[in-house]
Amino acid sequence: MAERNYTVVTEFFLTAFTEPLQWRVPLFLVFLSFYLATMLGNTGMILLIRGDRRLHTPMYFFLSHLSLVDVCYASTIIPQMLAVLWENGTTISQARCAAQFFLFAFFASIDCYLLAIMAYDRYAAVCQPLLYVTIMTEKACWGLVTGAYVAGFFSAFVRTVTAFTLSFCGNNEINFIFCDLPPLLKLSCGDSYTQEVVIIVFAAFVMPVCILVILVSYLFIIMAILQIRSAGGRAKTFSTCASHLTAVALFFGTLIFMYLRANTGQSSEGDRVVSVLYTVVTPMLNPLIYSLRNKEVKEAVRKALSKSKAARRP
């Protein structure tokens, strides 16, 4: 049996999307434009919600936090990806790798919880309209958001500590867009059973619990919509949930593919493409999803633009 190189690895070399070389510059420009669009769209959504009194409702309060998390989420991944493309691969220390993985897990977990909370908010609005104001009070909204941040921190901390108790040796190349758990497991030289259990626990508790809340909420919402007699009333009620459902499908669909696939310890081209969807594309699309399909946001945007034009006039 050939001996394995057990040289201890203290830094990693990220190489995703560096080949073929002729694609480096186009990909760099594409991802840079995605990042700028993400920052502009989500920051604009936050300012719009804060500046328009009509959007001072629980739904938009949660949406503003989703936009804030998406800004942080994208900023954790995309600048590192741009450095990899610009430098044709970049070296990252184990400490920086651990920090990036922690921040990724932290913000991804909060995204999951916020999407579940937003589903519950829609349930309360559609199924309990007379009690909505008493259910979704300011105190309750802050409590739910705080719970999402605390739970996200705990989940990310446990996963990071567990992952980086592994010993890494031999090849230090990570052919992935950031320091995620599946490609790191591939570089481990010890028993990674515990770390693989962590992936399963994350997949079996965090995501399914959030998905269950979303499914149950929308089951009651659909039942309530079916009881509405007019077709126009049904369409209007469902339209308030369409944006959220689109965001849920895009975010959870890609995460489920990554974390429930059989070969979690491998890194393939398909994995990298899917990882781009949930780390780059989804944060960029969320403001578009909520603005293009939401009448109140559209009106707030028109109002903000009209104010801007009026301010420029002499």
Side-chain angles (χ1 to χ4, degrees):
M1 183 181 296
E3 292 186 3
R4 185 175 177 180
N5 181 4
Y6 281 96
T7 304
V8 177
V9 171
T10 58
E11 59 184 20
F12 302 101
F13 189 66
L14 297 174
T15 62
F17 299 125
T18 56
E19 293 181 1
L21 294 177
Q22 61 266 28
W23 285 102
R24 282 174 50 212
V25 173
L27 284 175
F28 178 89
L29 295 175
V30 168
F31 289 138
L32 178 61
S33 64
F34 282 2
Y35 182 56
L36 294 176
T38 299
M39 299 298 289
L40 180 63
N42 285 286
T43 304
M45 182 65 74
I46 294 170
L47 295 175
L48 192 68
I49 292 170
R50 296 289 176 88
D52 195 314
R53 289 185 175 275
R54 292 175 298 177
L55 301 182
H56 290 182
T57 64
M59 182 177 73
Y60 294 108
F61 173 76
F62 298 134
L63 179 57
S64 67
H65 280 275
L66 184 68
S67 294
L68 176 62
V69 170
D70 280 344
V71 166
C72 300
Y73 185 55
S75 298
T76 300
I77 306 299
I78 302 179
Q80 181 71 66
M81 187 192 309
L82 294 175
V84 171
L85 289 169
W86 185 258
E87 300 172 10
N88 194 28
T90 188
T91 301
I92 182 171
S93 68
Q94 189 168 323
R96 280 185 60 195
C97 187
Q100 185 182 53
F101 175 72
F102 169 80
L103 291 173
F104 159 73
F106 177 52
F107 294 122
S109 298
I110 296 172
D111 252 346
C112 290
Y113 294 128
L114 284 176
L115 288 171
I117 290 169
M118 292 171 75
Y120 173 73
D121 171 71
R122 291 298 82 207
Y123 155 77
V126 174
C127 301
Q128 304 288 340
L130 299 179
L131 299 176
Y132 181 71
V133 177
T134 58
I135 294 173
M136 303 305 290
T137 62
E138 183 178 357
K139 184 178 180 180
C141 291
W142 275 110
L144 289 169
V145 167
T146 302
Y149 281 88
V150 171
F153 177 86
F154 177 76
S155 172
F157 180 78
V158 171
R159 294 177 66 213
T160 303
V161 170
T162 306
F164 285 87
T165 54
L166 277 172
S167 296
F168 303 101
C169 53
N171 181 22
N172 70 337
E173 183 177 315
I174 299 178
N175 193 5
F176 206 66
I177 66 172
F178 68 101
C179 288
D180 198 7
L181 194 51
L184 285 172
L185 289 176
K186 192 178 179 182
L187 303 182
S188 66
C189 54
D191 182 13
S192 62
Y193 174 76
T194 303
Q195 286 69 26
E196 291 174 3
V197 169
V198 170
I199 295 179
I200 295 172
V201 168
F202 174 75
F205 287 96
V206 177
M207 284 192 289
V209 166
C210 292
I211 291 172
L212 180 62
V213 171
I214 293 168
L215 290 177
V216 171
S217 297
Y218 276 101
L219 176 62
F220 282 105
I221 289 171
I222 291 171
M223 291 171 61
I225 289 175
L226 292 176
Q227 293 177 4
I228 300 174
R229 294 182 179 180
S230 67
R234 288 196 295 268
K236 183 179 180 181
T237 303
F238 185 77
S239 67
T240 63
C241 307
S243 300
H244 180 255
L245 277 175
T246 306
V248 165
L250 187 61
F251 182 77
F252 281 104
T254 51
L255 275 183
I256 288 171
F257 178 87
M258 281 297 295
Y259 284 94
L260 294 186
R261 60 198 307 267
N263 57 335
T264 36
Q266 298 179 3
S267 177
S268 66
E269 194 67 31
D271 292 335
R272 289 189 288 275
V273 172
V274 172
S275 66
V276 167
L277 288 177
Y278 70 78
T279 58
V280 179
V281 178
T282 300
M284 178 189 68
L285 290 181
N286 276 342
L288 292 175
I289 292 171
Y290 282 98
S291 60
L292 293 177
R293 300 183 64 89
N294 192 298
K295 183 179 179 181
E296 291 174 326
V297 174
K298 288 180 182 178
E299 291 178 355
V301 170
R302 283 194 289 266
K303 181 180 176 181
L305 291 175
S306 63
K307 283 185 177 181
S308 178
K309 290 179 180 179
R312 291 178 183 178
R313 293 173 184 172

